[in-house]
Amino acid sequence: MKASGRWFTIGLVTSWYSSNIGVLLLNKYLLSNYGFKYPIFLTMCHMMACSLLSYVAIAWMKMVPLQTIRSRAQLLKISCLSLVFCSSVVGGNVSLRYLPVSFNQAVGATTPFFTAVFAYLMKEKIESWITYLTLIPVVTGVIIASGGEPSFHMFGFIICISATAARAFKSVLQGKLLTAEGEKLNSMNLLLYMAPIAVAFLIPATLIMEENVVAITLALARDDIKIIWYLLINSAMAYLVNLTNFLVTKHTSALTLQVLGNAKGAVAVVISILIFRNPVSVTGMLGYILTVIGVILYSESKKRNKGEP
């Protein structure tokens, strides 16, 4: 039983890594190398897949109990979260058009910095001085990595840092909005409600900002049918990211999740460099390593503070 449980966990973690890194690399390939320059439409495809597959997983397969929305106020809160959520995903996808995955991941590693800032501003939550001290290498590392990045692009960097801030803002906002008794939703149910709302936001944005994208995609498909398969696989993987994240959180310890999460970004960087062969500098890699060290120290400091009486 223990052996089968161990293999199940290994398979789960492998699926988590594969879906996370796979969707990131395929996004990069589509938006940069393949030349499919429609990040809003791509995000809309992701959200449509998340809507459909979330419904299948919860309503049909009963993977988790269905949690219902109990009030108009709760729906409004979820809509706010959905808007921030899809903005962060769109921003991340837009940045991949201009930045290599390695630098994108380095910037994304600064999430703890923005989380601490928003937690203080929105919840008046003050961390220990040691926790704030660990954020110095997080920020310093990205500054060093930016200076040493051969493929640095200012617009891509601004969009990427904005998407990272939005991701942190969403996590803090979620903790602030959905705290009342009966309003808390697990991540699977939250995605079930957020994804369709995100689609509703993204449809007009796509029509206005990426005009004729459906006709263009169909024209591309007539020349190369693989684009349809790329979009379908990419969208399914976007849902698998959320599903496997939920399952890994459920079946592993907080410490295991923390270690795996910190390693995942580094693995994505190495694989992306091997596949896309983007130029890297020693300065850039040192900056990224410094940021990762800062993130690990930040996580350790938060864990110790939580354990204090």
Side-chain angles (χ1 to χ4, degrees):
M1 183 69 179
K2 284 186 177 179
S4 62
R6 190 180 301 116
W7 281 111
F8 173 76
T9 304
I10 291 171
L12 204 54
V13 171
T14 303
S15 299
W16 184 46
Y17 265 52
S18 301
S19 58
N20 271 269
I21 296 171
V23 76
L24 181 67
L25 297 180
L26 192 49
N27 282 347
K28 175 62 179 176
Y29 174 75
L30 283 170
L31 295 167
S32 186
N33 298 62
Y34 189 86
F36 187 78
K37 300 176 180 180
Y38 305 102
I40 301 175
F41 178 74
L42 182 63
T43 307
M44 189 181 75
C45 291
H46 290 180
M47 293 302 124
M48 290 175 73
C50 287
S51 302
L52 176 63
L53 296 174
S54 291
Y55 182 79
V56 170
I58 296 174
W60 289 1
M61 298 176 68
K62 311 289 185 185
M63 293 188 70
V64 294
L66 175 65
Q67 295 173 286
T68 57
I69 296 177
R70 299 188 176 186
S71 66
R72 190 175 296 176
Q74 187 185 13
L75 178 60
L76 184 61
K77 292 174 182 180
I78 292 171
S79 299
C80 291
L81 284 174
S82 181
L83 180 60
V84 177
F85 173 58
C86 70
S87 298
S88 69
V89 177
V90 168
N93 287 338
V94 170
S95 71
L96 285 171
R97 280 190 59 190
Y98 304 97
L99 300 176
V101 171
S102 52
F103 187 56
N104 176 279
Q105 290 294 286
V107 176
T110 60
T111 302
F113 168 76
F114 291 106
T115 302
V117 170
F118 287 127
Y120 176 78
L121 293 176
M122 295 170 62
K123 301 168 74 174
E124 297 183 355
K125 183 180 179 183
I126 302 176
E127 303 286 355
S128 69
W129 66 270
I130 294 178
T131 301
Y132 287 125
L133 206 61
T134 62
L135 294 173
I136 294 175
V138 172
V139 177
T140 304
V142 169
I143 293 171
I144 293 171
S146 301
E149 174 54 52
S151 306
F152 182 82
H153 190 286
M154 180 56 75
F155 177 74
F157 174 73
I158 292 170
I159 294 296
C160 191
I161 206 83
S162 300
T164 304
R167 191 160 56 245
F169 180 62
K170 183 253 176 186
S171 66
V172 176
L173 189 64
Q174 183 175 330
K176 188 175 178 66
L177 292 181
L178 300 179
T179 52
E181 192 64 35
E183 285 193 347
K184 289 184 180 179
L185 300 172
N186 62 46
S187 60
M188 292 284 285
N189 275 275
L190 186 58
L191 183 65
L192 173 67
Y193 294 116
M194 281 202 310
I197 296 170
V199 172
F201 286 133
L202 290 167
I203 286 174
T206 301
L207 293 174
I208 294 167
M209 301 178 72
E210 296 177 346
E211 195 175 354
N212 295 326
V213 64
V214 175
I216 292 168
T217 304
L218 292 174
L220 281 172
R222 281 193 288 271
D223 294 330
D224 183 9
I225 193 64
K226 285 187 293 185
I227 183 63
I228 301 297
W229 287 108
Y230 288 148
L231 291 173
L232 288 173
I233 293 168
N234 188 241
S235 300
M237 287 174 70
Y239 173 72
L240 282 176
V241 168
N242 293 280
L243 175 62
T244 54
N245 187 67
F246 172 79
L247 293 173
V248 168
T249 304
K250 182 179 178 181
H251 291 282
T252 63
S253 66
L255 177 62
T256 303
L257 190 67
Q258 178 186 315
V259 172
L260 291 172
N262 290 331
K264 179 164 58 67
V267 173
V269 167
V270 172
I271 293 175
S272 72
I273 292 171
L274 291 174
I275 291 175
F276 297 111
R277 302 191 179 280
N278 55 282
V280 292
S281 66
V282 174
T283 305
M285 291 311 296
L286 288 175
Y288 177 66
I289 291 168
L290 182 60
T291 294
V292 171
I293 291 171
V295 170
I296 293 169
L297 293 174
Y298 172 83
S299 301
E300 188 63 27
S301 176
K302 289 273 289 183
K303 187 179 69 176
R304 290 190 178 185
N305 289 338
K306 192 177 288 186
E308 290 178 358

